[in-house]
Amino acid sequence: MALLQVENLKKVYADGTAALNGIDMKVEAGEFIVVIGPSGAGKSTLLRCLNQMVQPSSGKVLFQGVETIGAGNRRLQRIRREMGMIFQGFNLVERVSVLTNVLHGRLGYMSSWRGALGLYAKSDVREATRLLERVGLGEQVHKRADELSGGQQQRVGIARALAQKPKLILADEPIASLDPASSDIVMNSLYNFCKEDGIACVCNLHQVDVAKKYATRIIGIYKGTKVFDGTPEQLTDDMIDLIYNQNKKAHATHADSIHSKQKETA
Ligand SMILES: Nc1ncnc2c1ncn2[C@@H]1O[C@H](COP(=O)(O)OP(=O)(O)OP(=O)(O)O)[C@@H](O)[C@H]1O
Ligand SMILES: [Mg+2]
């Protein structure tokens, strides 16, 4: 049984935008899957449909063999705590400490009143501190989150996701706001911790070179449709052209046909 199985997943937003046109995909334990595709292809929508941050219109999302679409609040909380999420904009609570931000990863395991009062177990505090040491931020534990650099904030984001003890991490453009040096550190951290802890990852990226460096499998999306699913080696330059330049080709073909029609009538 796959860790995650997606069947004929469709999403039409309230304004009629068809963002996903029937995606099938599987994620096995331990895989590091990178999703690529041009802006507006549906990568974020896909990721958000996996943990129901966006409600899918139809299809199936089976997590550990169990259907997640239509799950009630309690079951959704249990599903979501096993799917850590990492965002382009980090999504930290800026005015509280780095440690508290990582502890927020434990909220899905606590009663809401304990969470609201910040009554974390001592073992959770120890584990959060250990995770911050692991991502190289052992010295920054008591700083406010907004005192850190972007790359450091994203490493807090990774530690928070790990604190959930997830089976799967969903990362939406985790390095899009970072300089190249910080991007390397963040991608290395994400990749290595997933590998060491046996966590699968689905990561949206714009940079094809980074995708090829880390992915065990790459999925290419174009206009809400999966157009590639294979290994980094199978992602040839022609295939990259297909994923990114279909738009341009469609315009070119359209322009060519208009041009030849004009010739015919001349
Ligand atoms: N809340 C929304 N309401 C209506 N349309 C939306 C909404 N969110 C996204 N869309 C549309 O759905 C399509 C897919 O968007 P999505 O954000 O999933 O693409 P993406 O591949 O993540 O793009 P990017 O690379 O720019 O982040 C786009 O046409 C977008 O405009
Ligand atoms: Mg996106």
Side-chain angles (χ1 to χ4, degrees):
M1 179 180 68
L3 178 65
L4 186 80
Q5 181 147 358
V6 175
E7 290 174 19
N8 202 17
L9 183 67
K10 294 185 181 173
K11 174 64 189 176
V12 181
Y13 283 106
D15 67 355
T17 305
L20 298 176
N21 299 321
I23 300 278
D24 293 306
M25 66 184 270
K26 259 188 194 175
V27 182
E28 304 286 351
E31 279 194 294
F32 196 97
I33 294 180
V34 176
V35 180
I36 59 170
S39 186
K43 304 180 295 296
S44 297
T45 303
L46 172 62
L47 219 64
R48 283 155 192 264
C49 281
L50 300 183
N51 70 354
Q52 322 277 303
M53 273 171 74
V54 163
Q55 187 65 41
S57 303
S58 64
K60 285 187 171 175
V61 178
L62 304 172
F63 184 55
Q64 302 181 99
V66 180
E67 178 59 83
T68 65
I69 298 179
N73 282 346
R74 278 197 143 186
R75 201 152 67 80
L76 207 50
Q77 184 186 9
R78 279 206 301 278
I79 293 163
R80 281 188 180 147
R81 72 188 184 193
E82 295 196 280
M83 292 190 190
M85 184 108 195
I86 296 171
F87 305 87
Q88 173 180 345
F90 321 131
N91 282 26
L92 302 182
V93 182
E94 295 185 338
R95 54 179 204 290
V96 306
S97 75
V98 165
L99 180 65
T100 303
N101 269 281
V102 177
L103 283 166
H104 288 167
R106 299 304 300 163
L107 289 174
Y109 292 91
M110 298 163 66
S111 67
S112 49
W113 71 268
R114 286 191 80 90
L117 294 173
L119 296 173
Y120 300 101
K122 279 190 180 139
S123 56
D124 285 348
V125 176
R126 273 197 305 274
E127 175 65 6
T129 309
R130 195 186 64 85
L131 286 169
L132 282 165
E133 283 163 3
R134 202 170 162 207
V135 297
L137 297 173
E139 307 283 302
Q140 327 283 342
V141 172
H142 298 295
K143 279 195 180 166
R144 268 173 59 134
D146 57 5
E147 289 176 311
L148 302 189
S149 72
Q152 289 174 327
Q153 289 193 38
Q154 193 58 297
R155 281 186 275 154
V156 177
I158 293 173
R160 178 181 58 189
L162 293 174
Q164 286 179 228
K165 297 257 173 274
K167 300 249 171 19
L168 176 68
I169 286 183
L170 306 172
D172 195 1
E173 307 270 3
I175 56 169
S177 319
L178 304 177
D179 60 74
S182 303
S183 296
D184 272 354
I185 297 173
V186 163
M187 282 310 295
N188 276 327
S189 305
L190 181 59
Y191 179 82
N192 288 328
F193 297 140
C194 284
K195 200 168 173 187
E196 286 164 19
D197 293 5
I199 301 165
C201 185
V202 180
C203 177
N204 289 346
L205 286 176
H206 265 292
Q207 305 86 336
V208 175
D209 53 335
V210 182
K212 283 191 146 195
K213 182 172 171 193
Y214 293 98
T216 55
R217 191 150 59 82
I218 296 175
I219 289 178
I221 308 259
Y222 177 79
K223 284 194 177 171
T225 301
K226 188 172 85 171
V227 292
F228 176 81
D229 191 338
T231 63
E233 295 73 36
Q234 288 167 328
L235 185 70
T236 57
D237 288 351
D238 282 352
M239 198 50 80
I240 296 168
D241 266 2
L242 189 77
I243 299 168
Y244 284 94
N245 294 331
Q246 289 204 41
N247 218 354
K248 282 187 208 149
K249 276 185 191 155
H251 283 305
T253 317
H254 185 58
D256 287 350
S257 73
I258 290 172
H259 192 62
S260 57
K261 279 209 180 82
Q262 282 169 339
K263 270 189 186 163
E264 277 166 28
T265 49

Short mmCIF file of all heavy atoms in Angstrom, two decimals, residues 5 7 52 56 59-71 75 79:
data_model
loop_
_atom_site.label_atom_id
_atom_site.label_comp_id
_atom_site.label_asym_id
_atom_site.label_seq_id
_atom_site.Cartn_x
_atom_site.Cartn_y
_atom_site.Cartn_z
N GLN A 5 -2.01 7.91 -2.08
CA GLN A 5 -2.47 7.58 -3.42
C GLN A 5 -3.53 8.59 -3.85
O GLN A 5 -4.54 8.77 -3.14
CB GLN A 5 -3.06 6.16 -3.43
CG GLN A 5 -3.54 5.78 -4.81
CD GLN A 5 -3.37 4.29 -5.08
OE1 GLN A 5 -2.86 3.55 -4.24
NE2 GLN A 5 -3.79 3.86 -6.25
N GLU A 7 -6.12 9.82 -6.85
CA GLU A 7 -6.80 9.31 -8.05
C GLU A 7 -7.74 10.37 -8.63
O GLU A 7 -8.63 10.85 -7.91
CB GLU A 7 -7.60 8.04 -7.71
CG GLU A 7 -6.71 6.86 -7.40
CD GLU A 7 -7.50 5.64 -6.92
OE1 GLU A 7 -8.72 5.57 -7.17
OE2 GLU A 7 -6.87 4.78 -6.27
N GLN A 52 -6.02 18.91 2.44
CA GLN A 52 -7.36 19.51 2.49
C GLN A 52 -7.34 20.97 2.97
O GLN A 52 -8.34 21.46 3.48
CB GLN A 52 -8.31 18.73 3.42
CG GLN A 52 -8.14 17.24 3.38
CD GLN A 52 -8.88 16.61 2.23
OE1 GLN A 52 -10.07 16.77 2.10
NE2 GLN A 52 -8.15 15.93 1.37
N PRO A 56 -10.76 19.55 -2.34
CA PRO A 56 -10.82 19.07 -3.72
C PRO A 56 -12.27 19.01 -4.22
O PRO A 56 -13.19 18.84 -3.41
CB PRO A 56 -10.25 17.65 -3.62
CG PRO A 56 -9.49 17.61 -2.33
CD PRO A 56 -10.20 18.56 -1.41
N GLY A 59 -12.50 13.27 -6.81
CA GLY A 59 -11.34 12.38 -6.86
C GLY A 59 -11.10 11.74 -5.51
O GLY A 59 -11.94 11.82 -4.61
N LYS A 60 -9.94 11.08 -5.41
CA LYS A 60 -9.61 10.38 -4.16
C LYS A 60 -8.23 10.80 -3.67
O LYS A 60 -7.31 10.95 -4.48
CB LYS A 60 -9.58 8.87 -4.39
CG LYS A 60 -10.94 8.26 -4.53
CD LYS A 60 -10.84 6.75 -4.58
CE LYS A 60 -12.23 6.16 -4.50
NZ LYS A 60 -12.23 4.73 -4.67
N VAL A 61 -8.08 10.97 -2.37
CA VAL A 61 -6.76 11.16 -1.75
C VAL A 61 -6.69 10.17 -0.59
O VAL A 61 -7.29 10.38 0.46
CB VAL A 61 -6.56 12.60 -1.22
CG1 VAL A 61 -5.20 12.72 -0.54
CG2 VAL A 61 -6.65 13.62 -2.35
N LEU A 62 -6.01 9.03 -0.84
CA LEU A 62 -5.90 8.01 0.21
C LEU A 62 -4.57 8.19 0.92
O LEU A 62 -3.51 8.14 0.29
CB LEU A 62 -5.96 6.61 -0.41
CG LEU A 62 -7.18 6.28 -1.27
CD1 LEU A 62 -7.01 4.94 -1.96
CD2 LEU A 62 -8.44 6.27 -0.41
N PHE A 63 -4.62 8.41 2.23
CA PHE A 63 -3.40 8.54 3.02
C PHE A 63 -3.32 7.32 3.92
O PHE A 63 -4.24 7.06 4.70
CB PHE A 63 -3.44 9.83 3.85
CG PHE A 63 -2.18 10.10 4.64
CD1 PHE A 63 -0.95 10.16 4.00
CD2 PHE A 63 -2.24 10.30 6.00
CE1 PHE A 63 0.21 10.41 4.73
CE2 PHE A 63 -1.08 10.57 6.74
CZ PHE A 63 0.15 10.62 6.09
N GLN A 64 -2.26 6.54 3.78
CA GLN A 64 -2.11 5.27 4.47
C GLN A 64 -3.35 4.40 4.26
O GLN A 64 -3.84 3.74 5.18
CB GLN A 64 -1.84 5.51 5.96
CG GLN A 64 -0.58 6.35 6.16
CD GLN A 64 -0.24 6.61 7.61
OE1 GLN A 64 0.59 5.94 8.18
NE2 GLN A 64 -0.89 7.59 8.19
N GLY A 65 -3.87 4.45 3.03
CA GLY A 65 -4.98 3.59 2.64
C GLY A 65 -6.36 4.11 3.01
O GLY A 65 -7.37 3.48 2.67
N VAL A 66 -6.43 5.26 3.68
CA VAL A 66 -7.72 5.76 4.16
C VAL A 66 -8.11 7.04 3.40
O VAL A 66 -7.28 7.95 3.25
CB VAL A 66 -7.66 6.05 5.68
CG1 VAL A 66 -9.00 6.57 6.18
CG2 VAL A 66 -7.24 4.80 6.44
N GLU A 67 -9.34 7.10 2.92
CA GLU A 67 -9.82 8.28 2.20
C GLU A 67 -9.82 9.51 3.11
O GLU A 67 -10.31 9.46 4.23
CB GLU A 67 -11.24 8.02 1.68
CG GLU A 67 -11.88 9.18 0.95
CD GLU A 67 -11.07 9.64 -0.27
OE1 GLU A 67 -11.21 9.04 -1.34
OE2 GLU A 67 -10.28 10.60 -0.11
N THR A 68 -9.23 10.61 2.61
CA THR A 68 -9.17 11.82 3.44
C THR A 68 -10.22 12.85 3.03
O THR A 68 -10.60 13.69 3.83
CB THR A 68 -7.78 12.50 3.32
OG1 THR A 68 -7.62 12.96 1.99
CG2 THR A 68 -6.66 11.54 3.66
N ILE A 69 -10.68 12.76 1.77
CA ILE A 69 -11.67 13.75 1.33
C ILE A 69 -12.98 13.52 2.07
O ILE A 69 -13.47 12.39 2.13
CB ILE A 69 -11.88 13.69 -0.20
CG1 ILE A 69 -10.56 14.03 -0.92
CG2 ILE A 69 -12.97 14.66 -0.64
CD1 ILE A 69 -10.63 13.97 -2.43
N GLY A 70 -13.50 14.58 2.66
CA GLY A 70 -14.75 14.47 3.40
C GLY A 70 -14.55 14.06 4.85
O GLY A 70 -15.53 13.85 5.58
N ALA A 71 -13.29 13.95 5.30
CA ALA A 71 -13.04 13.58 6.70
C ALA A 71 -13.56 14.69 7.62
O ALA A 71 -13.45 15.87 7.30
CB ALA A 71 -11.54 13.38 6.93
N ARG A 75 -10.82 13.65 12.46
CA ARG A 75 -9.99 12.80 11.62
C ARG A 75 -9.01 13.65 10.80
O ARG A 75 -7.85 13.30 10.63
CB ARG A 75 -10.85 11.91 10.71
CG ARG A 75 -10.12 10.69 10.19
CD ARG A 75 -11.07 9.55 9.92
NE ARG A 75 -11.97 9.82 8.84
CZ ARG A 75 -11.64 9.71 7.55
NH1 ARG A 75 -10.43 9.33 7.21
NH2 ARG A 75 -12.52 9.97 6.61
N ILE A 79 -5.00 13.41 10.46
CA ILE A 79 -4.33 13.29 9.16
C ILE A 79 -3.30 14.40 9.02
O ILE A 79 -2.16 14.16 8.64
CB ILE A 79 -5.37 13.38 8.01
CG1 ILE A 79 -6.29 12.16 8.03
CG2 ILE A 79 -4.67 13.51 6.66
CD1 ILE A 79 -7.57 12.32 7.23
#
